[in-house]
Amino acid sequence: MEAKFLERNLKVKSNRMEWFEGVKDGIPLALGYIAVAFTFGIAAFQAGLSVFQSSVISATNFTSAGQFAGVTLIVSTATLFEVALTQFIINARYFLMSAALSQKIDPKTPFWQRIIMGFGISDEVFAVSLARKGKLNPFYTYGLMTITISSWVFGTFLGTISGNILPDQVIRALSLALYAMLISIIIPPAKRNKILMSVIMISMLASFIFDMLPVLSTTSSGLKIIILTVLISGLAALFFPVKEDTNE
């Protein structure tokens, strides 16, 4: 009995240390998340969402690309089906990330812990978790989730509150930060990869065509995002597949 108690106590201490390690490693991510989530809060305010509504969206979704797309669809009064399908396509990459992380955790990890880990996966949380040496303790990921999700919600809260307080001129200026953020994300890797740069240019051209041609301009924003995402990414994967490294 005493041996089991000591073993359980050591496990609790180990899990607690893993959680604190996750929180510590997630601090740099949290600082970046506050800035991006602030921009989302501004976008949510411009879409007519309240502080509570925007904060709930960030707390229950935790996906920047999906949330920005969702706000765009809300403004354009898209159907629920378009919103759901768009979110499914945009966030489909998390299926692959979850599958990859499942290989790093103990096979005996309970299903409910896997569910929690799956909810908290973002691109950055996935990268940090995958870089963790050895087997991945779920409590390490919980630590990452604690600091990153709370900072994401806090940034959204600040952004929406600012939208209710700041003058319209300042709000319009801050809304440009979204486009600056997107450019800062895509330009560095595109400069190193001609194929990626070509895909970006084709995406911009295709979006422009959808807006200008009379036949296509009537397409809803949600359906346009779905068509362009599936079509362009599918063609890029077909003609320019990423080659896997082979170890002899």
Side-chain angles (χ1 to χ4, degrees):
M1 182 69 68
E2 184 177 353
K4 289 184 177 180
F5 175 78
L6 291 175
E7 182 180 355
R8 183 183 304 173
N9 192 36
L10 288 174
K11 187 175 182 180
V12 170
K13 288 183 178 179
S14 176
N15 290 337
R16 187 182 304 160
M17 291 179 61
E18 290 282 345
W19 184 86
F20 278 113
E21 283 287 326
V23 171
K24 183 182 70 174
D25 292 346
I27 291 176
L29 303 182
L31 296 177
Y33 277 6
I34 290 176
V36 178
F38 183 90
T39 307
F40 170 74
I42 294 293
F45 167 77
Q46 293 179 323
L49 299 177
S50 67
V51 175
F52 175 76
Q53 289 171 331
S54 59
S55 298
V56 169
I57 289 175
S58 286
T60 55
N61 287 269
F62 194 43
T63 163
S64 58
Q67 289 180 216
F68 280 113
V71 167
T72 301
L73 296 175
I74 290 173
V75 172
S76 64
T77 63
T79 65
L80 291 176
F81 175 76
E82 289 176 337
V83 174
L85 185 57
T86 301
Q87 295 301 312
F88 178 81
I89 294 172
I90 291 177
N91 298 317
R93 66 188 186 279
Y94 294 126
F95 292 134
L96 301 178
M97 294 182 187
S98 298
L101 284 184
S102 68
Q103 306 303 307
K104 282 184 62 69
I105 62 178
D106 192 323
K108 296 181 180 179
T109 301
F111 181 73
W112 65 269
Q113 288 189 327
R114 295 171 183 265
I115 291 294
I116 296 176
M117 294 175 69
F119 171 79
I121 292 178
S122 67
D123 297 348
E124 295 77 16
V125 169
F126 167 75
V128 174
S129 298
L130 199 63
R132 183 78 169 172
K133 293 183 178 180
K135 286 291 184 180
L136 181 64
N137 188 316
F139 283 86
Y140 176 79
T141 303
Y142 297 162
L144 286 173
M145 291 169 54
T146 301
I147 187 68
T148 53
I149 294 178
S150 59
S151 65
W152 184 252
V153 176
F154 179 65
T156 301
F157 173 82
L158 289 180
T160 314
I161 284 290
S162 299
N164 286 280
I165 298 175
L166 298 176
D168 291 339
Q169 295 87 343
V170 177
I171 296 301
R172 284 194 291 269
L174 287 174
S175 64
L176 295 176
L178 170 60
Y179 303 100
M181 179 198 70
L182 295 175
I183 292 174
S184 67
I185 291 174
I186 64 177
I187 291 301
K191 291 172 64 177
R192 300 189 298 267
N193 190 320
K194 294 182 179 180
I195 295 176
L196 181 57
M197 176 62 77
S198 300
V199 171
I200 292 173
M201 299 303 296
I202 292 173
S203 301
M204 295 172 61
L205 178 61
S207 181
F208 175 77
I209 292 174
F210 261 77
D211 287 335
M212 298 304 296
L213 290 183
V215 179
L216 299 176
S217 60
T218 56
T219 306
S220 66
S221 299
L223 186 58
K224 182 173 69 174
I225 293 174
I226 294 169
I227 293 174
L228 292 179
T229 301
V230 174
L231 181 62
I232 296 175
S233 61
L235 291 175
L238 177 63
F239 291 104
F240 307 105
V242 177
K243 297 180 179 179
E244 296 183 1
D245 294 331
T246 56
N247 297 321
E248 296 182 358

